[in-house]
Amino acid sequence: MSAVSQGAKPYYYVPQPSHWPITGSLALLLMGLGAAFWFNHYAAGPWILLAGFCVLLVMLFGWFGTVIRESEGHLYNKKVDLSFRWSMSWFIFSEVMFFAAFFGALFYVRNISVPDLGSALTGRELWPNFSAQWPTVGPYIKQQFSPMSAIGIPLLNTILLVTSGGTLTIAHHALKSGHRGALKFWLFVTIVLGFTFLGFQAYEYHHAYTEANLKLSTGVYGSTFFMLTGFHGAHVTIGAIMLTVMLVRAFRGHFDAEHHFAFEAAAWYWHFVDVVWLLLFVLVYWL
Amino acid sequence: MSSITQPVGGHGHGHDEHAHHPTGIMRWVTTTNHKDIGTLYLWFSFTMFIVGGIMALTIRAELFEPGMQILAPERFNQMTTLHGLIMIFGALMPGAVGFANWMIPMQIGAPDMAFARMNNWSFWLLPPAAILLVLSLFVPGGAAETGWTLYPPLSIQSGMGMDLTIFAIHIMGASSIMGSINIITTILNLRAPGMTLMKMPVFCWAWLITAYLLIAVMPVLAGAVTMLLTDRHFGTSFFNAAGGGDPVLFQHVFWFFGHPEVYIIILPAFGIISEVIPAFSRKPVFGYASMVYALSAIAILSFLVWAHHMFTTGLPAAGILFYMYATMLIAVPTGVKVFNWLATMWKGSISLEAPMMFALGFLFLFTTGGFTGLILAIQPVDVQFQDTYYVVAHFHYVMVAGTLFAFFAGIYYWLPKWSGKMYNETVAQWHFWLSFIFFNVTFFPMHFLGLAGMPRRVPDYAQQFTDWNQVATIGAFGFGLSQLVFLYAVVSAIRSGKPAPAKPWDGATSLEWTLPSPAPYHSFETPPVVK
Amino acid sequence: MVGNQERSTRALRAPSKYSARWLAAALCAGLLAAPGVATAAWEWNFQPAATPIAQQITHLHELIFWICVVIFVGVFGTMFYTLIKHRKSVGHQAVQFHENTTVEIVWTVIPFLILLFMAWPATKVVLAMHDTSAPDMTIKVTGYQWKWGYDYVQEGFGYYSTLSTSFDQIQNRAPKDEHYLLEVDNPLVVPVDAKVRVLVTAADVIHSWWVPAFGVKQDAIPGFVRDTWFKADKVGIYRGQCAELCGKEHGFMPVVVEVKSKEDYAKWLAEQKKKVAAAADDPNKVWDLKDLLARGRQVFDGNCAACHQPNGTGNAAIGAPPLVGDKVVLGPRQHQIDVVLNGQTNGVVATGGAGGKMPSWKQLSDVEIASVISYTRNTWGNKAAEDIVQPSEVKAGRK
Ligand code: HEA
Ligand code: HEA
Ligand code: CUA
Ligand SMILES: [Cu+2]
């Protein structure tokens, strides 16, 4: 950009041409193709998917690496920083809407479709033996299972995640007041809590499949349970990876008291994941 | 916009391209320039329009006479599905983003989009999605044969083409979300000093609200097709009564996306029209504030009306009444817009160049489509019309004569700024009149077909529907060929048009007209000051 | 039989009074509908109503339509006026005004009032359409790919209703009859002036049961039952179509309803009951191969030939394999019973819910399935080791 080359701080940093986007597009194309082939029983499918995923990883490393270099090179002024803030907020809003679709589905099956299947009209005509209660595998699937209870691992996980939100906030304050040691420590604790959460969730899934006979295919209860908690778990994973990157960057001496939006973005994301969990805990496990 | 604008600092430092800027094809593949990306979007959109249009002509050819002629029934359904998906996701939405890319930075005095590199990715995600969609025609079982609405359980039965479609939708969704985040951030953060929100051109407002709608509903669509995917392959029962789910759940989730989607398609068009009509009436837009409020009202209401697409699924009476009333209400803010446009023209000094002709065509035909929408909103009447050609007529009036005509208006209006060349007015007028006439020959008879009871998505029909179908098919081919005139008008302007002055339209007032034509590669690197 | 009472098709009728109104409207709107006036076949309005609800819908539509026309003329009258008067080329100078709160409020409030005026009658019709109470009789309608099943719930019998237009007509190899695509083998039969409650459901995918002249369109949702009603006030034959895309033959599953006088209906009902009693298949009876083959051929041609072709050679375009020399057909019978009963996708037998590409045929009777399987095992040169399947085995194979 001309303004950059004039030496002065640019009014607004506009990056140079980049091949990372097209690399990312190639990755998604391969992944889409690979998954479609895989799900339709073509042997090449998983390999194409894997190839796409590798390209995606390369792209993520390359692209984020560039962004970090630009950031550390102080190319981002206040205005750019504000752009990042707006965009991260809107991105989280889009994530909220993604979860809303699944929470909406849960609401719908619990309050509309399951009662309807047991209603005087549909129930009597088609499913005379079905009693509409929640949880259910539906009127046709014959399967015994034990639903998840809220106390036990879910409660423990709630405590873990809420605590991690707290430790992350401590880390943030430490960063703002220049206590880098405390920053690293509390960030590390947060990450450990996050991965512990994931470990418990993996254990819970294992328990569900082996002992509770609760599977993804266990009617609409299994569907909503695993899809909601599964997507949440995926988000925790991504959030934990983001925080790990932040930890690495903290060790490398990145961030200062004013200039650390990457850290804040990861923190916002983490809090968002936290709130989703609270909703899950209440709506999926408890009620 | 009524302010007087004054660019400060040289716009156009000349073309001081960097030494290491790639050239040739790599320029386009790696570009971070909003103008290049806008151009890419617009050409992509036109290409998809031709692909989807050829599918439409195939459909119309099959429907020329009763009996099966050129397509097997399952191929016909695939054509319908892909035509709908490609036109909406491939032609109209990217077209609108193309306008946004070109115009928003120039209209608000920004150096570029807020995230220039991500902007590139938003565009370059579209070709992979298009490849997946088109490829699905050639896999065993062919493309999705469910209509663009992908209703289960039919979509559970489909073959691999459905999976490709689902992934294509995921990718297009990612593209739209990133594009929208970019647009919102640009508008909120990169306005030139003095360019308050309420001084922005209406086009920017329209896109701000559209982008908000996109971020709100694209993830919901992604959720819907993800559930479809797991129902298809991983044994979930979201849409399967046997497991406690409900096929109608999909319809709710889909239309929660789908109805705001139709406003996503029309609001940028409203924006373009709100630029063109004042310019050619030589008057500021009437009721700027109420234009903005009306846009917002439409956006908010659009979340409350989705079940009007499900009027025959057997909703309880209370639900039907709610959705019927809410749907009807949308006529009020839309009416405000129509009346404001009229008032803008009123006592103006009107001239009828091609952009204005298309804007008038838009006004006339979009309103017709709006009225048929209102008729569909009356649930008892919709019981007769749902899934008939009346609906097909309705949405082609609002989408083709609405959005597409607005795009034509916008292209003729801004082409001088983009290319530095004037188009040939005679050719453009021919394009308008041919399009206008053939559009109506194609789609007006579909109202009659719907009234008389012809269902949509059928490859064959009873004999009493023959005559209007023949008229429609003839019109469709005429309309398609008229678009060759458009292609000629644009290409000949770019290659050999007369050089355009900085401000070819004496009534135009917004910031982009303060730049030379063609607009320099980098505009407003230092912001202008708007008073 | 009731051809003289034919009401639903208007193919050869002169334009009704509505047509003239429509023409006026179309011209008002400045749109070109002109070619339609002269000849008679240009259908352009609702079928004549045969129920009070359809009548109300027609009136409602006319009301809303005319309101829209009036607004349209007002709005575009203004537009053309300003286009003519306020042109630059006639030397009009722009008057620079850009807001006026009063008119802006006026044109927000007036449309709102107009909408209220429309909503009132619409609400009444919505409520009337939902009133399924106190029916005189109840019929259960089930949508299948691609035919309708009608069950007379109180009478305890039912039958299928399939398109009867010949394949040759569809393929343009034979002249098309008057009711091309709108004719079925067994129409639904109901008495006149009786309130019929219709329970609508589906077996595979969503269909929609639509009779325009009755003002009834109800989606048929697999796994759920929805109800609606009609009360036909004129004897006649009424034709409609499936109105929800349901796959390959969505365009080929018409709905035909025959409304009979009370006496004719009683006669028909008696006949029907006698027939049902006589034809009742005893699933426990042991059949011999010859009878099964004869029956099987009928079942095959009526249900399977659409995909697998009458000579069993299959249709590669939709992935329906040839059954000639097919390993499933020549293999163990239990597996074929599974495939035909439950449907199959990509070689995997479907379990529960909607079938896959090869539809589930649960809705056929045990005898029909046994006979069609036996038929495939013994024709076109097929000679399966396990050559005969008895209805009792099919019965056992149902889950
Ligand atoms: C650009 C896209 C677009 C737009 C803007 C609209 C606008 C509207 N649509 Fe449309 N619609 C579609 C695209 C669009 N639609 C599509 C794609 C489908 C089919 C999807 C599918 O099934 O495949 C569809 C289907 C559809 C249905 C479902 C039909 C069915 O399947 O049975 C309904 C029902 O209510 C409906 C209603 C409306 C209404 C009330 C408006 C209103 O917004 C219109 C408002 C405008 C006006 C009313 C005119 C101007 C107003 C005045 C001049 C003021 C004075 C007027 C009065 C007081 C009356 N639409
Ligand atoms: C969004 C925009 C959009 C646009 C622009 C169009 C444009 C057209 N549509 Fe489309 N249509 C939809 C959206 C759109 N449609 C949707 C959403 C559906 C519902 C799908 C569903 O049911 O699921 C639908 C359904 C639909 C049907 C109903 C199909 C059915 O129910 O089975 C029909 C039938 O006539 C039709 C016709 C047409 C025609 C003739 C055009 C014409 O305007 C097209 C004109 C354009 C061209 C013909 C291409 C132009 C160029 C050339 C011909 C040049 C030649 C080549 C070169 C230069 C290389 N459309
Ligand atoms: Cu059955 Cu369409
Ligand atoms: Cu809608």
Side-chain angles (χ1 to χ4, degrees):
Chain A
M1 294 293 108
S2 50
V4 183
S5 59
Q6 279 155 16
K9 258 223 164 147
Y11 162 68
Y12 192 90
Y13 175 72
V14 179
Q16 295 299 315
S18 163
H19 60 272
W20 293 122
I22 192 77
T23 315
S25 298
L26 178 71
L28 292 194
L29 177 62
L30 289 175
M31 288 170 72
L33 280 176
F37 279 110
W38 188 11
F39 297 164
N40 292 281
H41 317 285
Y42 290 93
W47 299 107
I48 304 178
L49 181 64
L50 185 71
F53 189 69
C54 293
V55 179
L56 187 72
L57 282 184
V58 171
M59 177 282 245
L60 287 173
F61 270 94
W63 193 328
F64 280 113
T66 315
V67 172
I68 292 172
R69 267 192 306 283
E70 285 169 356
S71 170
E72 292 302 308
H74 294 286
L75 292 170
Y76 298 163
N77 59 9
K78 274 271 169 294
K79 219 167 173 63
V80 179
D81 192 68
L82 193 56
S83 285
F84 281 130
R85 284 164 198 277
W86 276 121
S87 62
M88 191 68 197
S89 322
W90 285 101
F91 170 64
I92 290 178
F93 174 56
S94 80
E95 292 271 41
V96 168
M97 293 309 291
F98 182 75
F99 276 98
F102 289 91
F103 278 113
L106 177 67
F107 173 85
Y108 185 91
V109 292
R110 287 188 62 166
N111 294 292
I112 296 174
S113 74
V114 171
D116 198 354
L117 285 167
S119 69
L121 192 56
T122 296
R124 200 175 51 216
E125 285 294 327
L126 299 178
W127 316 108
N129 301 323
F130 180 63
S131 72
Q133 315 147 331
W134 188 260
T136 179
V137 274
Y140 183 85
I141 298 179
K142 302 270 167 291
Q143 186 187 332
Q144 295 297 321
F145 71 99
S146 25
M148 284 294 159
S149 91
I151 22 214
I153 291 182
L155 187 61
L156 189 64
N157 264 347
T158 309
I159 296 168
L160 284 177
L161 220 47
V162 171
T163 316
S164 78
T167 54
L168 187 59
T169 307
I170 301 177
H172 189 197
H173 281 296
L175 173 56
K176 280 203 287 197
S177 47
H179 297 117
R180 297 196 66 91
L183 161 69
K184 289 170 201 162
F185 175 75
W186 288 109
L187 189 52
F188 180 73
V189 173
T190 311
I191 295 167
V192 170
L193 287 170
F195 280 110
T196 316
F197 173 96
L198 286 171
F200 277 122
Q201 191 171 27
Y203 173 79
E204 184 194 41
Y205 275 20
H206 180 77
H207 165 79
Y209 263 77
T210 52
E211 286 152 52
N213 198 26
L214 172 59
K215 305 191 166 80
L216 188 57
S217 54
T218 308
V220 78
Y221 178 76
S223 311
T224 49
F225 173 78
F226 281 106
M227 291 295 273
L228 273 161
T229 56
F231 271 116
H232 176 263
H235 281 72
V236 176
T237 313
I238 294 170
I241 293 174
M242 278 162 54
L243 290 178
T244 311
V245 173
M246 296 309 136
L247 186 62
V248 173
R249 290 186 62 187
F251 272 102
R252 293 208 181 149
H254 293 189
F255 309 134
D256 56 42
E258 270 83 56
H259 189 92
H260 54 256
F261 180 68
F263 177 91
E264 279 181 79
W268 290 359
Y269 194 80
W270 193 252
H271 291 310
F272 152 72
V273 169
D274 213 352
V275 171
V276 173
W277 174 261
L278 291 179
L279 283 175
L280 280 180
F281 181 67
V282 176
L283 297 173
V284 175
Y285 290 96
W286 188 358
L287 292 183
Chain B
M1 200 198 53
S2 54
S3 63
I4 300 150
T5 58
Q6 188 191 16
V8 177
H11 36 256
H13 298 257
H15 294 248
D16 53 342
E17 250 76 294
H18 266 258
H20 51 278
H21 267 226
T23 51
I25 176 107
M26 285 318 278
R27 163 181 168 192
W28 298 100
V29 172
T30 62
T31 180
T32 50
N33 179 284
H34 72 102
K35 301 190 180 76
D36 282 355
I37 295 173
T39 306
L40 285 171
Y41 266 113
L42 289 170
W43 279 110
F44 177 81
S45 158
F46 187 70
T47 313
M48 288 292 118
F49 172 63
I50 288 181
V51 174
I54 288 170
M55 290 171 171
L57 294 186
T58 320
I59 293 172
R60 287 302 340 155
E62 175 61 57
L63 293 177
F64 186 66
E65 281 176 335
M68 299 304 297
Q69 285 87 23
I70 55 175
L71 288 170
E74 62 276 11
R75 278 289 179 200
F76 181 92
N77 293 345
Q78 297 171 19
M79 282 295 147
T80 301
T81 309
L82 281 185
H83 164 67
L85 285 171
I86 287 183
M87 283 300 194
I88 288 184
F89 290 101
L92 293 194
M93 291 170 66
V97 185
F99 279 98
N101 261 290
W102 259 103
M103 301 322 302
I104 289 174
M106 289 206 277
Q107 287 195 328
I108 62 174
D112 203 296
M113 296 294 278
F115 301 101
R117 201 162 32 209
M118 185 169 85
N119 198 18
N120 173 302
W121 203 24
S122 302
F123 171 75
W124 279 106
L125 280 176
L126 292 177
I131 290 173
L132 292 181
L133 273 184
V134 174
L135 191 75
S136 73
L137 268 175
F138 303 100
V139 299
E145 72 281 51
T146 54
W148 80 286
T149 49
L150 311 178
Y151 283 4
L154 189 59
S155 52
I156 308 283
Q157 292 183 353
S158 317
M160 177 172 168
M162 180 59 67
D163 298 312
L164 291 169
T165 306
I166 289 174
F167 293 128
I169 288 175
H170 279 136
I171 295 177
M172 290 184 292
S175 157
S176 290
I177 292 170
M178 286 193 287
S180 305
I181 291 179
N182 219 334
I183 288 169
I184 295 195
T185 307
T186 308
I187 293 178
L188 292 182
N189 194 29
L190 289 190
R191 275 169 290 123
M195 174 67 77
T196 60
L197 282 176
M198 290 309 269
K199 274 189 194 162
M200 280 196 314
V202 180
F203 176 73
C204 296
W205 260 110
W207 244 114
L208 179 64
I209 290 167
T210 305
Y212 160 72
L213 286 178
L214 273 167
I215 299 179
V217 299
M218 289 312 282
V220 176
L221 175 65
V225 294
T226 305
M227 291 186 241
L228 209 54
L229 188 73
T230 58
D231 266 21
R232 281 168 58 76
H233 295 295
F234 303 107
T236 57
S237 306
F238 289 106
F239 311 131
N240 183 356
D246 185 349
V248 177
L249 168 60
F250 179 86
Q251 302 184 18
H252 280 288
V253 186
F254 182 87
W255 288 115
F256 183 86
F257 145 81
H259 187 80
E261 168 71 15
V262 308
Y263 294 110
I264 287 166
I265 290 170
I266 203 68
L267 294 190
F270 284 178
I272 294 172
I273 298 302
S274 306
E275 301 295 297
V276 171
I277 288 185
F280 293 90
S281 308
R282 295 170 180 78
K283 264 183 69 198
V285 66
F286 183 88
Y288 177 91
S290 62
M291 285 296 227
V292 172
Y293 300 144
L295 286 169
S296 318
I298 293 172
I300 292 165
L301 284 173
S302 76
F303 287 109
L304 303 175
V305 302
W306 76 85
H308 65 217
H309 296 273
M310 303 164 57
F311 273 160
T312 59
T313 55
L315 299 169
I320 284 181
L321 291 176
F322 172 81
Y323 288 110
M324 178 170 89
Y325 300 152
T327 307
M328 292 169 76
L329 265 189
I330 297 192
V332 174
T334 317
V336 167
K337 301 206 69 81
V338 170
F339 300 138
N340 279 348
W341 287 322
L342 276 185
T344 306
M345 286 157 60
W346 188 253
K347 297 206 169 154
S349 174
I350 301 170
S351 59
L352 297 177
E353 287 89 343
M356 186 63 167
M357 290 309 288
F358 272 106
L360 295 174
F362 166 96
L363 207 57
F364 196 72
L365 298 176
F366 168 78
T367 307
T368 310
F371 283 135
T372 55
L374 189 74
I375 290 173
L376 292 171
I378 311 292
Q379 190 263 354
V381 179
D382 185 59
V383 164
Q384 294 290 37
F385 285 145
Q386 140 72 218
D387 257 299
T388 65
Y389 264 77
Y390 195 90
V391 178
V392 177
H394 157 67
F395 65 72
H396 284 93
Y397 265 75
V398 284
M399 294 200 298
V400 180
T403 306
L404 191 64
F405 274 26
F407 284 4
F408 289 143
I411 286 170
Y412 288 120
Y413 180 58
W414 280 308
L415 193 65
K417 183 57 57 195
W418 299 341
S419 67
K421 305 285 180 55
M422 290 304 288
Y423 63 87
N424 180 321
E425 189 62 47
T426 317
V427 178
Q429 293 283 345
W430 270 98
H431 174 219
F432 171 75
W433 283 107
L434 287 172
S435 297
F436 184 84
I437 291 168
F438 280 120
F439 171 82
N440 286 297
V441 175
T442 313
F443 294 106
F444 202 74
M446 293 187 188
H447 294 111
F448 301 143
L449 288 172
L451 276 155
M454 176 166 163
R456 64 192 277 207
R457 297 167 170 171
V458 292
D460 193 5
Y461 49 81
Q463 280 165 299
Q464 68 262 36
F465 305 125
T466 312
D467 311 82
W468 290 124
N469 269 302
Q470 297 193 330
V471 175
T473 298
I474 292 167
F477 279 85
F479 187 80
L481 290 179
S482 317
Q483 304 323 313
L484 291 180
V485 181
F486 170 68
L487 190 64
Y488 173 75
V490 171
V491 173
S492 69
I494 295 175
R495 301 176 107 202
S496 54
K498 283 206 282 309
K503 190 170 150 190
W505 319 117
D506 55 334
T509 53
S510 41
L511 212 47
E512 71 267 27
W513 304 107
T514 62
L515 294 166
S517 295
Y521 198 59
H522 300 296
S523 36
F524 301 125
E525 287 184 317
T526 38
V529 173
V530 181
K531 291 206 197 102
Chain C
M1 179 173 51
V2 265
N4 56 333
Q5 288 154 337
E6 196 59 337
R7 284 176 189 273
S8 64
T9 171
R10 307 176 59 213
L12 297 168
R13 281 222 196 153
S16 68
K17 65 183 164 77
Y18 300 128
S19 312
R21 287 196 188 174
W22 265 100
L23 177 65
L27 289 182
C28 282
L31 296 163
L32 7 83
V37 226
T39 54
W42 305 78
E43 289 297 323
W44 61 3
N45 208 344
F46 286 142
Q47 296 182 9
T51 63
I53 289 286
Q55 195 64 51
Q56 291 177 44
I57 292 177
T58 308
H59 289 324
L60 191 58
H61 174 253
E62 285 181 4
L63 173 75
I64 314 272
F65 173 76
W66 283 109
I67 295 177
C68 287
V69 169
V70 170
I71 304 177
F72 193 90
V73 171
V75 169
F76 289 98
T78 317
M79 183 178 97
F80 282 112
Y81 177 83
T82 190
L83 278 185
I84 291 162
K85 291 285 179 180
H86 306 145
R87 281 274 276 285
K88 193 182 176 204
S89 52
V90 299
H92 193 272
Q93 292 290 314
V95 184
Q96 299 293 331
F97 58 89
H98 60 84
E99 58 191 6
N100 180 329
T101 314
T102 318
V103 300
E104 288 177 52
I105 290 177
V106 167
W107 67 44
T108 311
V109 172
I110 290 186
F112 183 74
L113 296 178
I114 298 175
L115 292 176
L116 282 184
F117 179 74
M118 293 174 168
W120 177 248
T123 304
K124 283 202 282 200
V125 185
V126 169
L127 295 177
M129 289 168 91
H130 271 79
D131 179 16
T132 51
S133 60
D136 298 317
M137 63 185 285
T138 302
I139 289 173
K140 184 170 159 197
V141 174
T142 310
Y144 298 98
Q145 280 171 319
W146 292 274
K147 56 174 160 288
W148 294 101
Y150 296 125
D151 287 299
Y152 288 73
V153 177
Q154 288 105 335
E155 320 293 345
F157 70 93
Y159 52 83
Y160 298 108
S161 174
T162 318
L163 177 74
S164 61
T165 299
S166 73
F167 201 55
D168 282 346
Q169 288 184 37
I170 295 172
Q171 292 299 323
N172 308 308
R173 289 192 295 257
K176 301 184 177 15
D177 354 304
E178 191 191 349
H179 299 303
Y180 175 70
L181 293 191
L182 296 179
E183 50 198 353
V184 295
D185 49 3
N186 307 305
L188 176 68
V189 180
V190 293
V192 73
D193 287 327
K195 180 168 183 177
V196 183
R197 179 169 180 237
V198 193
L199 307 181
V200 185
T201 184
D204 32 47
V205 301
I206 305 178
H207 303 263
S208 191
W209 195 75
W210 178 32
V211 185
F214 293 176
V216 165
K217 182 187 283 153
Q218 175 58 58
D219 290 1
I221 298 158
F224 291 85
V225 179
R226 300 282 192 254
D227 64 341
T228 180
W229 67 279
F230 64 85
K231 186 173 185 176
D233 50 21
K234 295 185 199 74
V235 172
I237 296 182
Y238 301 94
R239 297 169 198 275
Q241 279 171 271
C242 175
E244 182 65 59
L245 178 57
C246 50
K248 187 163 78 67
E249 274 162 62
H250 162 60
F252 305 91
M253 54 181 293
V255 176
V256 180
V257 182
E258 196 175 327
V259 177
K260 287 184 189 282
S261 67
K262 291 249 150 90
E263 305 77 61
D264 286 351
Y265 176 74
K267 238 184 279 162
W268 176 85
L269 196 62
E271 237 169 67
Q272 212 61 22
K273 283 183 172 163
K274 230 184 287 160
K275 247 203 273 173
V276 172
D281 290 322
D282 176 2
N284 297 318
K285 177 180 148 193
V286 177
W287 288 59
D288 68 22
L289 187 58
K290 199 171 112 294
D291 293 347
L292 280 177
L293 289 188
R295 183 75 186 271
R297 178 180 185 138
Q298 285 173 357
V299 177
F300 191 88
D301 291 349
N303 296 288
C304 323
C307 298
H308 294 285
Q309 302 305 314
N311 51 5
T313 49
N315 178 351
I318 57 166
L323 300 181
V324 183
D326 176 65
K327 59 183 185 320
V328 175
V329 173
L330 301 179
R333 54 195 164 178
Q334 189 51 48
H335 181 57
Q336 194 182 354
I337 294 174
D338 271 359
V339 170
V340 177
L341 265 180
N342 298 315
Q344 172 184 296
T345 315
N346 295 325
V348 181
V349 177
T351 45
K357 277 276 181 188
M358 155 78 184
S360 148
W361 295 96
K362 282 206 180 78
Q363 74 271 16
L364 297 182
S365 72
D366 297 335
V367 176
E368 285 169 322
I369 292 188
S371 62
V372 77
I373 292 179
S374 305
Y375 174 72
T376 58
R377 287 174 171 259
N378 293 284
T379 24
W380 320 303
N382 282 352
K383 286 215 166 15
E386 301 178 355
D387 63 340
I388 185 165
V389 169
Q390 291 294 346
S392 52
E393 295 172 81
V394 177
K395 194 174 178 199
R398 287 185 197 262
K399 274 175 232 138

